[in-house]
Short mmCIF file of all heavy atoms in Angstrom, two decimals:
data_model
loop_
_atom_site.label_atom_id
_atom_site.label_comp_id
_atom_site.label_asym_id
_atom_site.label_seq_id
_atom_site.Cartn_x
_atom_site.Cartn_y
_atom_site.Cartn_z
N THR A 1 -12.49 14.64 3.71
CA THR A 1 -12.31 14.19 5.09
C THR A 1 -11.79 12.75 5.03
O THR A 1 -12.36 11.95 4.31
CB THR A 1 -13.67 14.19 5.86
OG1 THR A 1 -14.14 15.56 5.89
CG2 THR A 1 -13.49 13.68 7.26
N ALA A 2 -10.75 12.45 5.80
CA ALA A 2 -10.22 11.11 5.85
C ALA A 2 -11.04 10.27 6.76
O ALA A 2 -11.18 10.59 7.97
CB ALA A 2 -8.72 11.15 6.29
N GLY A 3 -11.62 9.20 6.25
CA GLY A 3 -12.48 8.34 7.05
C GLY A 3 -11.71 7.25 7.80
O GLY A 3 -10.51 7.02 7.56
N GLU A 4 -12.45 6.57 8.68
CA GLU A 4 -11.82 5.56 9.48
C GLU A 4 -12.79 4.47 9.87
O GLU A 4 -13.99 4.65 9.73
CB GLU A 4 -11.18 6.15 10.73
CG GLU A 4 -12.19 6.84 11.64
CD GLU A 4 -11.54 7.54 12.83
OE1 GLU A 4 -10.79 6.89 13.53
OE2 GLU A 4 -11.76 8.75 12.95
N THR A 5 -12.24 3.33 10.27
CA THR A 5 -13.05 2.24 10.82
C THR A 5 -12.79 2.26 12.34
O THR A 5 -12.06 3.11 12.84
CB THR A 5 -12.63 0.87 10.21
OG1 THR A 5 -11.29 0.62 10.63
CG2 THR A 5 -12.70 0.91 8.71
N ALA A 6 -13.29 1.26 13.07
CA ALA A 6 -13.05 1.19 14.51
C ALA A 6 -11.59 0.96 14.82
O ALA A 6 -11.10 1.34 15.86
CB ALA A 6 -13.91 0.13 15.13
N GLU A 7 -10.88 0.29 13.86
CA GLU A 7 -9.46 -0.08 14.13
C GLU A 7 -8.46 0.90 13.62
O GLU A 7 -7.51 1.27 14.31
CB GLU A 7 -9.23 -1.43 13.53
CG GLU A 7 -7.95 -2.09 14.04
CD GLU A 7 -7.85 -3.53 13.60
OE1 GLU A 7 -8.54 -4.37 14.25
OE2 GLU A 7 -7.14 -3.81 12.62
N HIS A 8 -8.64 1.37 12.37
CA HIS A 8 -7.68 2.25 11.71
C HIS A 8 -8.39 3.21 10.75
O HIS A 8 -9.50 2.95 10.36
CB HIS A 8 -6.65 1.47 10.84
CG HIS A 8 -5.73 0.54 11.56
ND1 HIS A 8 -4.78 1.01 12.41
CD2 HIS A 8 -5.67 -0.79 11.63
CE1 HIS A 8 -4.13 -0.02 12.95
NE2 HIS A 8 -4.67 -1.12 12.52
N GLY A 9 -7.66 4.25 10.30
CA GLY A 9 -8.14 5.01 9.23
C GLY A 9 -8.05 4.18 7.94
O GLY A 9 -7.22 3.22 7.88
N HIS A 10 -8.84 4.47 6.96
CA HIS A 10 -8.79 3.77 5.67
C HIS A 10 -7.41 3.80 5.07
O HIS A 10 -6.92 2.80 4.53
CB HIS A 10 -9.82 4.30 4.72
CG HIS A 10 -11.22 4.17 5.14
ND1 HIS A 10 -11.82 2.93 5.40
CD2 HIS A 10 -12.19 5.07 5.39
CE1 HIS A 10 -13.05 3.12 5.77
NE2 HIS A 10 -13.29 4.41 5.79
N PHE A 11 -6.75 4.94 5.13
CA PHE A 11 -5.44 5.09 4.55
C PHE A 11 -4.40 4.28 5.31
O PHE A 11 -3.57 3.57 4.69
CB PHE A 11 -5.03 6.60 4.54
CG PHE A 11 -3.73 6.89 3.87
CD1 PHE A 11 -3.51 6.62 2.54
CD2 PHE A 11 -2.71 7.46 4.59
CE1 PHE A 11 -2.35 6.89 1.92
CE2 PHE A 11 -1.48 7.75 3.98
CZ PHE A 11 -1.32 7.46 2.64
N THR A 12 -4.42 4.34 6.64
CA THR A 12 -3.48 3.54 7.43
C THR A 12 -3.67 2.04 7.15
O THR A 12 -2.70 1.34 7.01
CB THR A 12 -3.70 3.83 8.94
OG1 THR A 12 -3.46 5.19 9.17
CG2 THR A 12 -2.78 2.94 9.81
N LYS A 13 -4.94 1.60 7.06
CA LYS A 13 -5.17 0.19 6.74
C LYS A 13 -4.59 -0.17 5.37
O LYS A 13 -3.98 -1.22 5.22
CB LYS A 13 -6.67 -0.10 6.80
CG LYS A 13 -6.99 -1.57 6.51
CD LYS A 13 -8.46 -1.85 6.69
CE LYS A 13 -8.83 -3.29 6.51
NZ LYS A 13 -8.00 -4.10 5.63
N GLY A 14 -4.81 0.68 4.41
CA GLY A 14 -4.24 0.45 3.06
C GLY A 14 -2.72 0.33 3.06
O GLY A 14 -2.12 -0.54 2.40
N LEU A 15 -2.10 1.23 3.85
CA LEU A 15 -0.60 1.19 3.94
C LEU A 15 -0.13 -0.08 4.68
O LEU A 15 0.80 -0.73 4.22
CB LEU A 15 -0.09 2.39 4.70
CG LEU A 15 -0.24 3.76 4.03
CD1 LEU A 15 0.21 4.87 4.93
CD2 LEU A 15 0.51 3.78 2.69
N LEU A 16 -0.79 -0.39 5.77
CA LEU A 16 -0.38 -1.64 6.52
C LEU A 16 -0.57 -2.90 5.68
O LEU A 16 0.28 -3.75 5.69
CB LEU A 16 -1.18 -1.71 7.82
CG LEU A 16 -0.89 -0.67 8.86
CD1 LEU A 16 -1.84 -0.82 10.07
CD2 LEU A 16 0.55 -0.83 9.36
N ASP A 17 -1.66 -2.97 4.95
CA ASP A 17 -1.89 -4.09 4.05
C ASP A 17 -0.83 -4.17 2.97
O ASP A 17 -0.34 -5.24 2.63
CB ASP A 17 -3.29 -4.07 3.43
CG ASP A 17 -4.41 -4.31 4.45
OD1 ASP A 17 -4.15 -4.77 5.56
OD2 ASP A 17 -5.57 -4.07 4.07
N GLY A 18 -0.50 -3.00 2.44
CA GLY A 18 0.56 -2.96 1.41
C GLY A 18 1.93 -3.34 1.95
O GLY A 18 2.67 -4.04 1.23
N LEU A 19 2.23 -2.96 3.15
CA LEU A 19 3.52 -3.31 3.74
C LEU A 19 3.69 -4.82 4.02
O LEU A 19 4.80 -5.32 4.10
CB LEU A 19 3.78 -2.52 4.97
CG LEU A 19 4.07 -1.00 4.78
CD1 LEU A 19 4.07 -0.27 6.08
CD2 LEU A 19 5.41 -0.85 4.06
N LYS A 20 2.55 -5.49 4.09
CA LYS A 20 2.62 -6.96 4.27
C LYS A 20 3.14 -7.64 2.98
O LYS A 20 3.53 -8.77 2.99
CB LYS A 20 1.24 -7.52 4.63
CG LYS A 20 0.83 -7.12 6.02
CD LYS A 20 -0.56 -7.61 6.34
CE LYS A 20 -1.03 -7.07 7.69
NZ LYS A 20 -2.44 -7.43 7.91
N ALA A 21 3.09 -6.87 1.86
CA ALA A 21 3.58 -7.32 0.56
C ALA A 21 3.00 -8.65 0.12
O ALA A 21 3.74 -9.51 -0.36
CB ALA A 21 5.11 -7.34 0.61
N GLY A 22 1.75 -8.82 0.29
CA GLY A 22 1.05 -10.04 -0.15
C GLY A 22 0.71 -10.02 -1.61
O GLY A 22 1.14 -9.14 -2.35
N ALA A 23 -0.12 -10.95 -2.05
CA ALA A 23 -0.54 -11.03 -3.43
C ALA A 23 -1.22 -9.79 -3.85
O ALA A 23 -2.03 -9.20 -3.12
CB ALA A 23 -1.48 -12.24 -3.60
N GLY A 24 -0.89 -9.29 -5.04
CA GLY A 24 -1.52 -8.12 -5.60
C GLY A 24 -0.85 -6.80 -5.21
O GLY A 24 -1.23 -5.77 -5.69
N VAL A 25 0.13 -6.83 -4.35
CA VAL A 25 0.85 -5.60 -3.93
C VAL A 25 1.99 -5.43 -4.90
O VAL A 25 2.85 -6.28 -5.03
CB VAL A 25 1.33 -5.69 -2.51
CG1 VAL A 25 2.10 -4.40 -2.10
CG2 VAL A 25 0.16 -5.85 -1.52
N PRO A 26 2.06 -4.27 -5.57
CA PRO A 26 3.15 -4.05 -6.57
C PRO A 26 4.51 -3.88 -5.91
O PRO A 26 4.62 -3.39 -4.78
CB PRO A 26 2.72 -2.81 -7.31
CG PRO A 26 1.78 -2.09 -6.37
CD PRO A 26 1.15 -3.13 -5.51
N TYR A 27 5.56 -4.24 -6.67
CA TYR A 27 6.92 -4.00 -6.25
C TYR A 27 7.79 -4.09 -7.51
O TYR A 27 7.32 -4.48 -8.60
CB TYR A 27 7.39 -4.99 -5.20
CG TYR A 27 7.57 -6.40 -5.70
CD1 TYR A 27 8.84 -6.85 -5.98
CD2 TYR A 27 6.47 -7.25 -5.93
CE1 TYR A 27 8.98 -8.14 -6.49
CE2 TYR A 27 6.65 -8.49 -6.43
CZ TYR A 27 7.96 -9.01 -6.69
OH TYR A 27 8.10 -10.23 -7.17
N ASP A 28 9.06 -3.74 -7.41
CA ASP A 28 9.96 -3.84 -8.52
C ASP A 28 10.53 -5.28 -8.52
O ASP A 28 11.33 -5.62 -7.65
CB ASP A 28 11.11 -2.82 -8.36
CG ASP A 28 12.03 -2.79 -9.55
OD1 ASP A 28 12.30 -3.89 -10.12
OD2 ASP A 28 12.43 -1.71 -9.94
N PRO A 29 10.13 -6.08 -9.49
CA PRO A 29 10.59 -7.48 -9.51
C PRO A 29 12.07 -7.64 -9.82
O PRO A 29 12.67 -8.65 -9.50
CB PRO A 29 9.74 -8.14 -10.61
CG PRO A 29 9.37 -7.01 -11.49
CD PRO A 29 9.26 -5.80 -10.63
N HIS A 30 12.66 -6.63 -10.47
CA HIS A 30 14.10 -6.73 -10.82
C HIS A 30 14.97 -6.41 -9.58
O HIS A 30 15.98 -7.10 -9.39
CB HIS A 30 14.41 -5.77 -11.95
CG HIS A 30 13.56 -6.01 -13.16
ND1 HIS A 30 13.75 -7.09 -13.95
CD2 HIS A 30 12.52 -5.28 -13.67
CE1 HIS A 30 12.83 -7.07 -14.88
NE2 HIS A 30 12.12 -5.98 -14.76
N GLU A 31 14.60 -5.47 -8.83
CA GLU A 31 15.37 -5.09 -7.62
C GLU A 31 14.81 -5.78 -6.35
O GLU A 31 15.41 -5.70 -5.31
CB GLU A 31 15.32 -3.57 -7.42
CG GLU A 31 16.07 -2.84 -8.51
CD GLU A 31 16.06 -1.32 -8.28
OE1 GLU A 31 15.68 -0.88 -7.17
OE2 GLU A 31 16.43 -0.59 -9.18
N ARG A 32 13.61 -6.38 -6.50
CA ARG A 32 12.93 -7.02 -5.37
C ARG A 32 12.73 -6.02 -4.20
O ARG A 32 13.03 -6.34 -3.04
CB ARG A 32 13.64 -8.27 -4.96
CG ARG A 32 13.74 -9.29 -6.07
CD ARG A 32 14.33 -10.61 -5.67
NE ARG A 32 13.61 -11.27 -4.58
CZ ARG A 32 12.51 -12.01 -4.69
NH1 ARG A 32 11.92 -12.10 -5.82
NH2 ARG A 32 11.99 -12.57 -3.62
N ARG A 33 12.31 -4.81 -4.59
CA ARG A 33 12.09 -3.78 -3.62
C ARG A 33 10.72 -3.16 -3.81
O ARG A 33 10.22 -3.07 -4.97
CB ARG A 33 13.14 -2.63 -3.76
CG ARG A 33 14.50 -2.99 -3.36
CD ARG A 33 15.38 -1.84 -3.55
NE ARG A 33 16.01 -1.56 -2.25
CZ ARG A 33 16.81 -0.57 -2.02
NH1 ARG A 33 17.14 0.27 -2.96
NH2 ARG A 33 17.35 -0.40 -0.83
N MET A 34 10.14 -2.66 -2.77
CA MET A 34 8.94 -1.89 -2.87
C MET A 34 9.30 -0.39 -2.68
O MET A 34 9.96 -0.06 -1.69
CB MET A 34 7.92 -2.26 -1.78
CG MET A 34 6.62 -1.50 -1.85
SD MET A 34 5.49 -1.82 -0.48
CE MET A 34 5.15 -3.54 -0.68
N TYR A 35 8.89 0.42 -3.63
CA TYR A 35 9.11 1.87 -3.50
C TYR A 35 7.83 2.53 -3.07
O TYR A 35 6.77 1.97 -3.08
CB TYR A 35 9.58 2.40 -4.89
CG TYR A 35 10.94 1.98 -5.25
CD1 TYR A 35 11.23 0.86 -5.93
CD2 TYR A 35 12.04 2.77 -4.80
CE1 TYR A 35 12.54 0.40 -6.23
CE2 TYR A 35 13.36 2.37 -5.12
CZ TYR A 35 13.60 1.21 -5.83
OH TYR A 35 14.88 0.81 -6.09
N VAL A 36 7.96 3.79 -2.66
CA VAL A 36 6.81 4.52 -2.11
C VAL A 36 5.69 4.58 -3.12
O VAL A 36 4.50 4.50 -2.71
CB VAL A 36 7.22 5.92 -1.59
CG1 VAL A 36 7.58 6.85 -2.74
CG2 VAL A 36 6.08 6.50 -0.76
N HIS A 37 5.98 4.70 -4.41
CA HIS A 37 4.91 4.75 -5.37
C HIS A 37 4.14 3.42 -5.52
O HIS A 37 2.97 3.42 -5.84
CB HIS A 37 5.41 5.28 -6.74
CG HIS A 37 6.43 4.44 -7.38
ND1 HIS A 37 7.76 4.53 -7.14
CD2 HIS A 37 6.30 3.41 -8.31
CE1 HIS A 37 8.42 3.65 -7.87
NE2 HIS A 37 7.56 2.94 -8.56
N HIS A 38 4.84 2.30 -5.28
CA HIS A 38 4.14 1.02 -5.21
C HIS A 38 3.20 0.93 -4.05
O HIS A 38 2.03 0.49 -4.20
CB HIS A 38 5.17 -0.12 -5.09
CG HIS A 38 6.10 -0.28 -6.28
ND1 HIS A 38 7.45 -0.22 -6.15
CD2 HIS A 38 5.82 -0.46 -7.58
CE1 HIS A 38 8.01 -0.42 -7.31
NE2 HIS A 38 7.04 -0.51 -8.20
N LEU A 39 3.67 1.34 -2.90
CA LEU A 39 2.84 1.32 -1.70
C LEU A 39 1.65 2.29 -1.84
O LEU A 39 0.52 1.93 -1.50
CB LEU A 39 3.70 1.74 -0.49
CG LEU A 39 3.01 1.68 0.85
CD1 LEU A 39 2.47 0.31 1.19
CD2 LEU A 39 3.99 2.13 1.96
N TYR A 40 1.91 3.44 -2.41
CA TYR A 40 0.84 4.41 -2.66
C TYR A 40 -0.20 3.85 -3.60
O TYR A 40 -1.42 3.98 -3.36
CB TYR A 40 1.43 5.68 -3.28
CG TYR A 40 0.39 6.60 -3.84
CD1 TYR A 40 -0.45 7.32 -3.02
CD2 TYR A 40 0.22 6.76 -5.20
CE1 TYR A 40 -1.42 8.15 -3.54
CE2 TYR A 40 -0.73 7.57 -5.76
CZ TYR A 40 -1.56 8.31 -4.92
OH TYR A 40 -2.50 9.11 -5.42
N ALA A 41 0.22 3.19 -4.65
CA ALA A 41 -0.74 2.64 -5.63
C ALA A 41 -1.68 1.58 -4.95
O ALA A 41 -2.87 1.59 -5.17
CB ALA A 41 -0.02 1.95 -6.80
N HIS A 42 -1.11 0.79 -4.09
CA HIS A 42 -1.95 -0.16 -3.35
C HIS A 42 -2.89 0.53 -2.42
O HIS A 42 -4.12 0.25 -2.40
CB HIS A 42 -1.06 -1.16 -2.62
CG HIS A 42 -1.86 -2.14 -1.80
ND1 HIS A 42 -2.44 -3.21 -2.39
CD2 HIS A 42 -2.17 -2.20 -0.50
CE1 HIS A 42 -3.14 -3.91 -1.50
NE2 HIS A 42 -2.97 -3.30 -0.34
N ALA A 43 -2.40 1.43 -1.59
CA ALA A 43 -3.24 2.13 -0.61
C ALA A 43 -4.31 2.96 -1.32
O ALA A 43 -5.43 2.99 -0.86
CB ALA A 43 -2.39 3.07 0.27
N TYR A 44 -3.97 3.59 -2.47
CA TYR A 44 -4.93 4.38 -3.22
C TYR A 44 -6.15 3.57 -3.64
O TYR A 44 -7.29 3.97 -3.41
CB TYR A 44 -4.23 4.96 -4.48
CG TYR A 44 -5.09 5.83 -5.34
CD1 TYR A 44 -5.25 7.19 -5.03
CD2 TYR A 44 -5.82 5.30 -6.39
CE1 TYR A 44 -6.07 7.99 -5.80
CE2 TYR A 44 -6.58 6.11 -7.20
CZ TYR A 44 -6.75 7.45 -6.91
OH TYR A 44 -7.53 8.25 -7.68
N GLY A 45 -5.86 2.39 -4.22
CA GLY A 45 -6.97 1.52 -4.63
C GLY A 45 -7.80 1.03 -3.44
O GLY A 45 -9.07 1.02 -3.50
N GLU A 46 -7.16 0.68 -2.37
CA GLU A 46 -7.88 0.20 -1.18
C GLU A 46 -8.77 1.30 -0.60
O GLU A 46 -9.96 1.07 -0.22
CB GLU A 46 -6.92 -0.34 -0.15
CG GLU A 46 -6.16 -1.56 -0.55
CD GLU A 46 -7.11 -2.73 -0.81
OE1 GLU A 46 -7.95 -3.06 0.09
OE2 GLU A 46 -7.04 -3.39 -1.92
N VAL A 47 -8.25 2.49 -0.44
CA VAL A 47 -8.97 3.60 0.14
C VAL A 47 -10.13 3.99 -0.74
O VAL A 47 -11.29 4.17 -0.25
CB VAL A 47 -8.08 4.82 0.36
CG1 VAL A 47 -8.86 6.08 0.75
CG2 VAL A 47 -7.05 4.53 1.47
N ARG A 48 -9.94 4.11 -2.05
CA ARG A 48 -11.02 4.46 -2.96
C ARG A 48 -12.10 3.41 -2.93
O ARG A 48 -13.31 3.75 -2.96
CB ARG A 48 -10.49 4.65 -4.39
CG ARG A 48 -9.58 5.85 -4.49
CD ARG A 48 -9.75 6.78 -5.63
NE ARG A 48 -10.69 6.44 -6.61
CZ ARG A 48 -11.80 7.14 -6.87
NH1 ARG A 48 -12.06 8.20 -6.14
NH2 ARG A 48 -12.61 6.79 -7.86
#
C-alpha cells in the first residue's frame, strides 16, 4: 500500500524533492542532466 502524509504521498514527496535537484540528488555530471533512474534512486531512498 502506498502511504501518504497530510500533504503528499511518500512517493510524490520523494519525486518533488528530487526534482529540486538539491544536495545529494544524483545526476549525470558530464551531461549535467537528471535521468529518470537518478530521480528514481532519490525517491526510492526517501520512500524506504
Side-chain angles (χ1 to χ4, degrees):
T1 300
E4 59 186 305
T5 66
E7 194 170 282
H8 294 292
H10 296 300
F11 184 62
T12 299
K13 183 176 183 329
L15 291 177
L16 291 173
D17 289 347
L19 287 170
K20 291 177 186 173
V25 177
Y27 71 101
D28 185 321
H30 304 289
E31 295 181 10
R32 301 186 56 81
R33 291 180 122 180
M34 180 187 298
Y35 288 91
V36 70
H37 62 273
H38 295 123
L39 184 57
Y40 167 73
H42 179 77
Y44 181 86
E46 293 298 308
V47 169
R48 294 224 354 114

